[in-house]
Amino acid sequence: MSSRGVRHDSMRARNLAVVLDAIHRTGPHTRAALAERTGLTKTTVSSLVADLLEAGVVTESGAVRGGERGRPGVAVSLSGHRVATLGLEINIDYLAACVVDLTRTVRLRRTRPADNRSSNPAEILERLRDLAKETTAEAESAGLRVIGAALAVPGTVEGGVLRSAPHLGWRDVRVEDVIDLPLAIDNEANLAALGELWFGSRDTDFLYVSGEIGIGAGLVVGGTVFRGTFGLAGELGHVVVVPDGPACRCGGRGCLEVYAGQDALLGPLDSVAALVARLESGDPRALEACERAGHALGVALTSAVHLVDPGRIVLGGIFARLFPWLEGPVADGLGARLGQMRGTPPALVVSGIGADAAVLGAAGLVIQRILADPAEVLGL
Amino acid sequence: MSSRGVRHDSMRARNLAVVLDAIHRTGPHTRAALAERTGLTKTTVSSLVADLLEAGVVTESGAVRGGERGRPGVAVSLSGHRVATLGLEINIDYLAACVVDLTRTVRLRRTRPADNRSSNPAEILERLRDLAKETTAEAESAGLRVIGAALAVPGTVEGGVLRSAPHLGWRDVRVEDVIDLPLAIDNEANLAALGELWFGSRDTDFLYVSGEIGIGAGLVVGGTVFRGTFGLAGELGHVVVVPDGPACRCGGRGCLEVYAGQDALLGPLDSVAALVARLESGDPRALEACERAGHALGVALTSAVHLVDPGRIVLGGIFARLFPWLEGPVADGLGARLGQMRGTPPALVVSGIGADAAVLGAAGLVIQRILADPAEVLGL
DNA sequence: GGATTATGTACAGATTATGGACTAATATCA
DNA sequence: TGATATTAGTCCATAATCTGTACATAATCC
């Protein structure tokens, strides 16, 4: 919102972004096609593409021969050979890192199991630093240039500071010096939603529901994550399902998390795998837990649909694994409750990118920034 | 999202908007101060201001003499003398119109009582057309140039078409030829929120809760209304308060509207004024209805706060008039439920601009468009 | 093989912002 | 009271960037 004036250099910066975005959105294009799409002249596009080539973000991928007459054009596409980004994640029981190139290819992936509940922040950040350093070094020895990084955390983030991560027991932790690169920090659910956007369905409008120990959600509208006023939007887990239901850890009562959080779903079991096994064998207690969770999820999602109007609803995390048992109750609840208000309720689908959603999304966030302003990020 | 390239003319268009926005946001400024704020040079600012002067959107309002040394500058401020916008509203029992100038001064205001429930769309639109024509003519005879219009309707709008206005009994009505100007159509709650933004507190981040016959909400984040994927966001009235509560008109059960809609609040009474009278005289039935509505509103707003993270909550419409009796239960509910999750719950305040919020907001929407792209709108 | 058609580049021209010099108008200070 | 300092706004030559036409290039069509 700083509303600075536009000068010649920002005009060019913007046009670089426009051309790069066109290449990214609809695949390889010849310069002529890019000119058509962007409304710029062929001359200008040629000049912009030359800069992008030099920066290593695009490559010429050979002649396009469509059988049409006329001189064939040279297709320009995103290059996966030079620029890459680093995604990081701190979760309850592991640290993760990944390196992704501009073609959305995952080049490296590292996970370190760890019991982060019983360690203090400094210790964990130290281990994260090691992991980040190692991963980046490895990527660089493969010829990649890691441009930036983002970190997913299971908690609320305000202004780059981790405000509160209840399941880690952290409050107001400032994450610094993890790596010698610009580092963005964001909530696990928001980044998982970006993961779905970049590495999943490629749909640009959806509500990603992240079932981890807590329940979060990331809303993507028009390809952008909606964060609310203070970056705290998407706390689906604490939407009220039963106004005077059981007390929730958050201080409220009858929150979704009480009915559909991991603890509620697992009951005495100690892993999701165990729950799935019970479900597959038809265990009535397990089935009932899923039924109850699905019902609660249907109620909470109804409120969410009314409030934020998502294009579709994507279930991720443990909900993805439990999808076969959840889909029925959730869809029924949505269908029945949304009734008259809209033509059809938003489609309910399962996320395609399992447990890695958040780390991948973190890397995706940085890719998104490169595409949004290549000149700034790459120093063109 | 069309992502067109930037050319010289769009650079200038953007800079016109940047300068105009700076004038609008922080009051009158000298050219030198504008140059400072926008990062443009004095030369460029002078040239841009010259264009804005010619278009009649700004005026030179005399020398600024601050007692400082140096040549005094000439303050440039928004002009209320030429450009104006038209706000229109169709509501259950009246039609309304207003003309507002760029300084946010309401120049004209017309209301026509009408029982729109018992008329068909064509008839009402005909009457709206008359009202619009008269109001514009009057504004023009006062020397104003009405540039554009917007219409508030009590229902959902998708792509310029009124999809569903249950309280009017309308479905899929295309509003056309109402006036010989660009006409935007939007939901009453969204526009009332804009009304609050433009003519109320001037705060840029809040959730406006519109209590009319139905209950809607308009979320403003960073000065922009959040509309969701299909423009259907903000249906606070159908957030689930009690999952198996009484059936709601919408097909769901236990929606907020069932507990806090006008019908629920009024009971057998026939006007808000009557209810207020009862409340003031301490009538227990009336007090209990308010208590119950406030409680339900607290529950629904808790869910809303978790999902969309508003800066503050502004109660408008009938809730504004009932604020003294609602504030307690709503604030208690929010405070108790939000508990640990955030430092303090968002402030709960009453809207300053009574029943006119939506029409005013409609006019404000058009002003917002002028400020966002004066070149486009004014043909510079 | 010549006509046709489309791609991509070269170069002059157009548009817009910049930057330093200049004029204008006021306050401060001797 | 007059000289000086200081700030505002304009003028004009220059710079950055995009446009548009011309042209070389490389295919297909017949």
Side-chain angles (χ1 to χ4, degrees):
Chain A
M1 292 297 140
S2 64
S3 71
R4 307 288 293 174
V6 177
R7 307 152 67 144
H8 287 115
D9 52 343
S10 21
M11 173 161 71
R12 188 157 183 94
R14 186 77 232 289
N15 282 338
L16 282 166
V18 166
V19 168
L20 190 56
D21 185 68
I23 296 170
H24 146 249
R25 272 206 231 183
T26 39
H29 276 301
T30 65
R31 291 169 175 78
L34 288 169
E36 174 88 16
R37 287 185 65 84
T38 59
L40 297 165
T41 60
K42 289 188 291 174
T43 311
T44 305
V45 169
S46 281
S47 147
L48 293 165
V49 166
D51 281 9
L52 294 172
L53 279 168
E54 203 191 353
V57 288
V58 302
T59 25
E60 296 190 324
S61 46
V64 166
R65 194 165 292 103
E68 297 129 23
R69 56 208 281 176
R71 171 177 168 180
V74 178
V76 177
S77 52
L78 289 181
S79 162
H81 298 305
R82 202 141 116 205
V83 175
T85 66
L86 175 67
L88 296 170
E89 180 181 1
I90 300 177
N91 211 316
I92 312 302
D93 46 7
Y94 63 87
L95 298 177
C98 69
V99 172
V100 170
D101 70 30
L102 289 186
T103 66
R104 311 188 194 208
T105 306
V106 180
R107 303 292 289 263
L108 284 171
R109 203 183 298 217
R110 296 278 171 276
T111 309
R112 301 232 168 122
D115 183 2
N116 293 333
R117 265 192 268 224
S118 53
S119 315
N120 65 41
E123 218 172 290
I124 296 172
L125 289 176
E126 187 55 42
R127 287 224 293 281
L128 183 69
R129 195 167 298 138
D130 287 348
L131 178 59
K133 205 166 284 177
E134 267 182 53
T135 316
T136 330
E138 197 170 340
E140 272 163 6
S141 73
L144 293 170
R145 188 177 145 215
V146 178
I147 295 264
L151 168 64
V153 291
T156 52
V157 176
E158 246 184 291
V161 177
L162 173 50
R163 276 283 166 249
S164 151
H167 299 288
L168 286 175
W170 293 14
R171 284 198 82 81
D172 294 317
V173 176
R174 163 159 264 126
V175 179
E176 281 172 324
D177 304 320
V178 166
I179 191 172
D180 195 21
L181 285 174
L183 176 69
I185 308 178
D186 205 346
N187 175 267
E188 172 264 325
N190 283 344
L191 290 178
L194 268 182
E196 179 67 24
L197 173 68
W198 281 89
F199 301 94
S201 65
R202 288 208 173 197
D203 193 4
T204 57
D205 296 272
F206 57 88
L207 182 75
Y208 178 92
V209 179
S210 132
E212 301 284 324
I213 301 216
I215 299 174
L219 176 67
V220 177
V221 178
T224 313
V225 174
F226 174 79
R227 293 191 158 78
T229 308
F230 308 110
L232 303 176
E235 285 294 342
L236 186 69
H238 302 283
V239 164
V240 183
V241 172
V242 178
D244 37 29
C248 172
R249 184 179 46 71
C250 76
R253 311 194 73 84
C255 300
L256 173 62
E257 217 165 282
V258 171
Y259 302 95
Q262 201 173 103
D263 293 347
L265 274 162
L266 293 188
L269 305 175
D270 65 349
S271 75
V272 180
L275 176 60
V276 171
R278 295 279 175 108
L279 288 165
E280 279 170 345
S281 70
D283 178 276
R285 282 236 303 269
L287 289 171
E288 199 208 304
C290 259
E291 176 82 25
R292 203 171 45 232
H295 180 257
L297 203 46
V299 170
L301 284 174
T302 299
S303 293
V305 169
H306 281 309
L307 283 171
V308 303
D309 181 28
R312 37 169 68 195
I313 296 169
V314 181
L315 296 186
I318 65 171
F319 295 145
R321 294 176 65 186
L322 302 177
F323 190 72
W325 296 275
L326 290 173
E327 186 185 8
V330 176
D332 287 354
L334 277 175
R337 291 172 184 283
L338 288 173
Q340 328 281 65
M341 292 294 292
R342 27 179 80 216
T344 49
L348 185 69
V349 301
V350 63
S351 165
I353 51 157
D356 289 333
V359 225
L360 291 178
L365 175 68
V366 186
I367 295 186
Q368 205 169 40
R369 295 212 175 152
I370 297 173
L371 295 180
D373 194 351
E376 166 80 18
V377 179
L378 304 169
L380 285 179
Chain B
M1 290 297 139
S2 64
S3 71
R4 308 288 294 173
V6 177
R7 307 154 63 146
H8 288 112
D9 52 344
S10 20
M11 172 161 73
R12 186 156 184 96
R14 186 76 232 290
N15 282 338
L16 282 165
V18 165
V19 168
L20 189 56
D21 186 67
I23 295 170
H24 147 249
R25 273 207 230 183
T26 38
H29 276 300
T30 65
R31 290 169 176 77
L34 287 170
E36 174 88 16
R37 286 185 66 85
T38 59
L40 297 165
T41 60
K42 289 187 293 174
T43 311
T44 306
V45 169
S46 280
S47 147
L48 293 165
V49 166
D51 281 9
L52 293 172
L53 279 169
E54 202 189 354
V57 288
V58 301
T59 24
E60 296 189 323
S61 45
V64 167
R65 194 165 293 105
E68 297 130 25
R69 57 209 276 174
R71 171 178 167 180
V74 178
V76 176
S77 52
L78 288 181
S79 162
H81 297 306
R82 204 141 117 204
V83 175
T85 67
L86 176 67
L88 296 170
E89 180 180 3
I90 299 177
N91 210 317
I92 312 302
D93 46 7
Y94 63 87
L95 299 177
C98 68
V99 173
V100 169
D101 70 32
L102 289 186
T103 64
R104 311 188 194 208
T105 306
V106 181
R107 304 291 290 263
L108 285 171
R109 201 183 298 218
R110 295 278 172 278
T111 311
R112 299 231 170 125
D115 183 1
N116 293 332
R117 267 194 265 224
S118 52
S119 316
N120 66 41
E123 218 172 290
I124 295 171
L125 289 176
E126 187 55 42
R127 285 224 294 279
L128 182 69
R129 194 166 299 138
D130 287 348
L131 178 59
K133 204 165 285 176
E134 267 182 55
T135 316
T136 331
E138 196 169 341
E140 272 162 6
S141 73
L144 294 170
R145 187 176 146 216
V146 178
I147 295 267
L151 169 64
V153 291
T156 52
V157 176
E158 244 183 293
V161 178
L162 174 50
R163 276 283 168 249
S164 152
H167 299 289
L168 285 174
W170 293 16
R171 284 198 84 81
D172 295 316
V173 175
R174 164 158 264 126
V175 178
E176 281 171 324
D177 304 321
V178 166
I179 193 172
D180 195 20
L181 286 173
L183 177 68
I185 307 178
D186 205 343
N187 174 267
E188 172 264 323
N190 284 344
L191 290 178
L194 269 182
E196 179 67 25
L197 173 67
W198 281 90
F199 301 94
S201 65
R202 289 208 173 197
D203 192 3
T204 58
D205 297 272
F206 58 87
L207 182 75
Y208 178 93
V209 179
S210 131
E212 301 284 324
I213 301 216
I215 300 175
L219 176 66
V220 177
V221 178
T224 313
V225 175
F226 174 79
R227 293 193 158 77
T229 308
F230 307 110
L232 302 177
E235 285 293 342
L236 185 70
H238 301 284
V239 164
V240 183
V241 171
V242 178
D244 37 29
C248 173
R249 185 180 45 73
C250 76
R253 309 194 75 84
C255 300
L256 172 62
E257 215 164 285
V258 172
Y259 302 96
Q262 200 174 106
D263 294 347
L265 274 162
L266 293 189
L269 304 175
D270 65 348
S271 74
V272 179
L275 176 60
V276 171
R278 295 279 175 106
L279 288 166
E280 279 170 346
S281 69
D283 179 276
R285 283 239 301 271
L287 288 170
E288 199 207 304
C290 260
E291 176 81 26
R292 202 170 48 231
H295 180 258
L297 203 47
V299 170
L301 285 173
T302 299
S303 293
V305 169
H306 281 308
L307 283 170
V308 303
D309 181 28
R312 37 169 67 195
I313 296 169
V314 180
L315 295 186
I318 64 171
F319 295 146
R321 293 176 65 187
L322 302 176
F323 191 72
W325 296 276
L326 290 172
E327 185 185 8
V330 176
D332 287 354
L334 276 174
R337 292 173 183 282
L338 288 172
Q340 327 282 66
M341 292 293 292
R342 28 179 80 217
T344 48
L348 185 70
V349 300
V350 63
S351 165
I353 52 156
D356 289 334
V359 226
L360 292 178
L365 174 68
V366 185
I367 295 185
Q368 206 169 38
R369 295 211 175 151
I370 297 174
L371 296 180
D373 194 351
E376 165 81 19
V377 179
L378 303 169
L380 284 178

